[in-house]
Amino acid sequence: MTTFTSMIPNGEVLRSTAAAVPMFSQRPFGASTISEPAALRRHPHIVRFAEVEADLDLLIDRAIVAIADGEPVEDDILGHYVHIASLVRAVSFREGKLLEQTVERLAKANPNVVVLTQSLKLPLVKAALEAVSGNDWQSLDGVKLDCEAPAKGSYTPDLILVNRARHTAYILDLKRSLASYGDTSRLEELKLKMMASAMVLPDWLYKNQKRLMVDTVEVAIVDGASRPSDHANGIWALSEIDDLLEIDGVATCMAELRLRFGRRVQQLLEVEASKALGIMAAVVADAGSASTMPGKPLIALNGSSRAYEEEQAMAAQDEDDGHYDLGCFDDDQDEEPEPARIRVGFARRPRRH
């Protein structure tokens, strides 16, 4: 078995030659037939957005409905803007799920690829964790561990792709953006879990997925924002996902999906922002009318009308009004305090006297 962070597969690039390869490569996809110049192809399978548009639009609709249906909890700090904050949090979660569902759908264009999405709790075997923590990842090539060995928790990948033609499995973790992982240790912790899971995945697939056998396991963290990739450390841009699925056109479909999803999300945010601003405008109008009523003092919404120098002078007067009692610091306080019995425990209400 081979385990390593995912690199670009050595997939054959189809080139047109006068003798052996026709000018156009054709294969059926559903009810349609695709024609593409072979010289422009990287992989033997291809998908176009027009053919999956209806399915992907349906996935977007479901994600938008789920985002809009969320019930925000009242927040004293956010006030009328709590709905906007709730939408933003929901978008972060739903976009990740949308990417997973889209990859699963597009992978159908390659009949050799099986996508696993259900019951993917992989055990974090203690021996695997120790192995990846204390050794270089490349030196663990060929090591396979029992998935039923003693474990310390589990890891649930977003997707597991199995290429049956290559006998290769990919553990994928899809992130809408890796920007928040830049200066933290969370990314290294994630890679550690993924690599430890890779060492038990062949045994896990054989025992839990109808004797599915692989001899190579690769891990990849896919960045939905398509920032610069680092294949040596397992970081892949979403724009490179064609090479993982061995299907041309997947990255183009994903880019169009994110564009359409972004438009729908921004429409939701604009509606909620208009509502929040409308409420605030009404509150300000009510406050303005109340301040002009007889007997009501005017409220300085922009702070005090006093000048900065006046504020400083008043603060100085307040400080001079008091005096410091230095007599409270006696010599006796320099002595060592007597040991005291300290009580610890959970916080409780103070007893009434």
Side-chain angles (χ1 to χ4, degrees):
M1 183 197 75
T2 301
T3 54
F4 50 84
T5 53
S6 185
M7 303 293 287
I8 296 178
N10 297 322
E12 230 179 58
V13 179
L14 305 183
R15 300 184 183 277
S16 61
T17 60
V21 183
M23 178 59 185
F24 293 95
S25 173
Q26 296 184 346
R27 68 174 295 272
F29 182 83
S32 62
T33 301
I34 300 173
S35 297
E36 192 75 17
L40 301 179
R41 296 276 298 280
R42 289 176 55 84
H43 305 290
H45 308 288
I46 188 170
V47 61
R48 289 176 174 171
F49 187 82
E51 298 163 343
V52 295
E53 182 177 6
D55 291 344
L56 300 192
D57 280 343
L58 180 60
L59 293 178
I60 293 174
D61 290 340
R62 291 175 179 173
I64 293 298
V65 169
I67 293 171
D69 284 347
E71 287 294 333
V73 180
E74 291 187 5
D75 190 295
D76 293 338
I77 302 301
L78 297 174
H80 301 298
Y81 301 99
V82 68
H83 290 270
I84 299 177
S86 177
L87 285 179
V88 172
R89 287 191 292 264
V91 167
S92 299
F93 173 76
R94 291 295 169 182
E95 183 181 353
K97 292 297 180 183
L98 180 61
L99 294 178
E100 296 172 26
Q101 295 167 352
T102 304
V103 170
E104 181 182 5
R105 171 62 185 88
L106 298 178
K108 294 179 180 179
N110 186 346
N112 296 323
V113 173
V114 177
V115 182
L116 305 179
T117 60
Q118 302 296 328
S119 303
L120 301 183
K121 185 176 287 188
L122 303 178
L124 293 174
V125 172
K126 293 181 181 179
L129 289 172
E130 293 172 357
V132 297
S133 299
N135 297 278
D136 182 77
W137 181 231
Q138 302 298 329
S139 66
L140 299 176
D141 188 13
V143 179
K144 182 178 71 173
L145 299 177
D146 184 359
C147 69
E148 296 178 352
K152 298 176 63 176
S154 61
Y155 163 67
T156 302
D158 292 331
L159 296 173
I160 294 177
L161 304 181
V162 179
N163 189 318
R164 291 177 295 190
R166 292 182 175 276
H167 300 286
T168 299
Y170 298 94
I171 298 178
L172 298 188
D173 204 297
L174 296 166
K175 300 297 182 185
R176 65 181 301 272
S177 174
L178 286 178
S180 61
Y181 287 78
D183 300 325
T184 67
S185 61
R186 290 190 300 152
L187 188 59
E188 292 303 318
E189 293 172 358
L190 174 60
K191 287 194 288 187
L192 179 69
K193 292 180 179 180
M194 295 178 73
M195 292 187 291
S197 299
M199 299 183 70
V200 302
L201 183 64
D203 187 56
W204 185 88
L205 288 173
Y206 183 78
K207 292 178 178 178
N208 296 279
Q209 297 295 326
K210 301 179 180 180
R211 302 297 188 262
L212 188 59
M213 299 180 67
V214 298
D215 53 32
T216 300
V217 180
E218 301 183 8
V219 302
I221 302 172
V222 181
D223 182 8
S226 290
R227 289 178 174 81
S229 58
D230 183 4
H231 294 174
N233 288 306
I235 307 299
W236 281 63
L238 186 62
S239 58
E240 301 170 315
I241 199 169
D242 289 14
D243 293 321
L244 290 176
L245 296 176
E246 297 190 20
I247 305 171
D248 286 336
V250 174
T252 301
C253 292
M254 299 294 285
E256 180 64 24
L257 172 97
R258 295 187 75 239
L259 181 63
R260 296 189 179 200
F261 180 64
R263 289 172 182 163
R264 298 285 297 277
V265 167
Q266 291 168 29
Q267 290 173 359
L268 277 180
L269 292 173
E270 288 171 358
V271 170
E272 288 300 331
S274 297
K275 290 180 182 178
L277 292 174
I279 293 173
M280 289 304 299
V283 171
V284 171
D286 292 342
S289 61
S291 64
T292 57
M293 293 177 61
K296 294 287 185 178
L298 293 176
I299 301 176
L301 296 178
N302 295 322
S304 175
S305 59
R306 290 188 293 268
Y308 174 76
E309 291 78 4
E310 294 176 291
E311 293 285 353
Q312 291 296 312
M314 294 184 65
Q317 292 177 6
D318 292 340
E319 292 177 359
D320 293 340
D321 287 344
H323 64 280
Y324 296 101
D325 185 8
L326 300 179
C328 63
F329 299 99
D330 298 330
D331 294 337
D332 295 340
Q333 293 185 2
D334 294 335
E335 298 178 0
E336 290 290 332
E338 295 183 3
R341 180 181 176 85
I342 305 299
R343 184 185 182 96
V344 296
F346 293 112
R348 297 176 295 178
R349 292 182 181 274
R351 295 180 180 179
R352 295 183 178 180
H353 297 290

